[in-house]
Amino acid sequence: MTVEETLNALNIIPDVKLGNSDFVYAHRTTAVREIYFVANRSEKSIRISPGFRVAGHRPERWSPVNGERRPLAHIRTEGSFDRCPLAV
């Protein structure tokens, strides 16, 4: 049984829905924010629309290279998840 199958069997909702095995993520919660780090393990740029379990929040894209932050556009809410297109 996979981790995803086990979580589903226990009715545990995932923090992130990536839909692509080339991506990994880390999730942290602070007093005021949900922070997700999404990384592409492949050598090519890939477009995905990950779902983050933060419906109702205002997602931003943060660059770890220069610290630049900008709001993400084209957010769509699906249940308790917000999805946004990314090219990573």
Side-chain angles (χ1 to χ4, degrees), residues 8-20:
N8 286 338
L10 296 170
N11 293 319
I12 298 173
I13 300 170
D15 291 336
V16 175
K17 294 180 179 181
L18 293 174
N20 187 314

Side-chain angles (χ1 to χ4, degrees), residues 18-33:
L18 293 174
N20 187 314
S21 62
D22 287 327
F23 287 84
V24 294
Y25 78 94
H27 175 211
R28 298 288 181 267
T29 300
T30 71
V32 295
R33 290 195 165 81

Side-chain angles (χ1 to χ4, degrees), residues 19-77:
N20 187 314
S21 62
D22 287 327
F23 287 84
V24 294
Y25 78 94
H27 175 211
R28 298 288 181 267
T29 300
T30 71
V32 295
R33 290 195 165 81
E34 298 294 328
I35 302 167
Y36 294 88
F37 176 80
V38 178
N40 178 355
R41 296 184 295 180
S42 78
E43 294 184 18
K44 60 184 184 233
S45 178
I46 300 174
R47 291 187 163 280
I48 62 170
S49 288
F52 300 98
R53 191 171 47 146
V54 293
H57 291 262
R58 294 177 46 196
E60 297 177 320
R61 184 173 185 151
W62 178 76
S63 169
V65 175
N66 61 17
E68 178 184 53
R69 294 163 53 176
R70 63 181 173 85
L72 290 172
H74 309 294
I75 307 299
R76 71 179 190 276
T77 300

Side-chain angles (χ1 to χ4, degrees), residues 71-84:
L72 290 172
H74 309 294
I75 307 299
R76 71 179 190 276
T77 300
E78 295 176 1
S80 59
F81 288 86
D82 277 348
R83 289 196 174 272
C84 53

